[in-house]
Amino acid sequence: QVQLVESGGGLVQPGGSLRLSCATSASIFSISAMGWYRQTPGKERELVATITDRSNYADYVKGRFTIPRDNTKNTVYLQMNSLKPEDTAVYYCNARNIYTLIDSWGQGTQVTVSS
């Protein structure tokens, strides 16, 4: 079973920043496209950003979020800047096996943007 360990969520004021982390094993990290998704109550989980050899962002986070990947630490991050109340959600780390296309998910971490 693929294990993804997330950390870094919390409460932040509008305009602030947070960084989420997602760590996994080297064997998983090396064969996965990594990504972040988010979900709010009553809505479907939506893509935030993904990274393989290049990064891809949802329009609503472009210019504010980045998804750096540290291959030496088997960790992917989500750097969130200029946060807005509408960014409030549970954020999930995703690892998609590049050969089988099977998805694995982290446990989710709550991000709340509020004054």
Side-chain angles (χ1 to χ4, degrees):
Q1 184 173 351
V2 174
Q3 185 175 23
L4 303 174
V5 180
E6 301 177 21
S7 60
L11 173 65
V12 63
Q13 293 187 342
S17 297
L18 276 178
R19 189 179 78 160
L20 307 182
S21 300
C22 174
T24 188
S25 67
S27 60
I28 296 302
F29 201 73
S30 64
I31 61 168
S32 297
M34 303 299 295
W36 290 94
Y37 290 69
R38 68 187 187 187
Q39 189 170 23
T40 55
K43 293 188 177 181
E44 293 187 356
R45 195 170 294 185
E46 62 183 11
L47 171 73
V48 177
T50 61
I51 185 166
T52 51
D53 56 343
R54 59 183 178 177
S55 54
N56 175 58
Y57 298 95
D59 287 344
Y60 42 81
V61 303
K62 282 181 180 177
R64 301 188 297 123
F65 292 11
T66 58
I67 183 170
R69 175 179 178 139
D70 189 337
N71 293 332
T72 67
K73 296 182 178 180
N74 305 314
T75 299
V76 65
Y77 304 93
L78 185 67
Q79 178 64 45
M80 303 184 291
N81 300 324
S82 302
L83 282 161
K84 305 175 181 180
E86 51 263 43
D87 294 318
T88 296
V90 177
Y91 284 72
Y92 293 91
C93 179
N94 169 268
R96 176 167 294 177
N97 187 302
I98 61 174
Y99 302 109
T100 66
L101 303 184
I102 293 175
D103 286 320
S104 298
W105 298 93
Q107 78 278 11
T109 186
Q110 177 70 47
V111 171
T112 301
V113 185
S114 175
S115 56

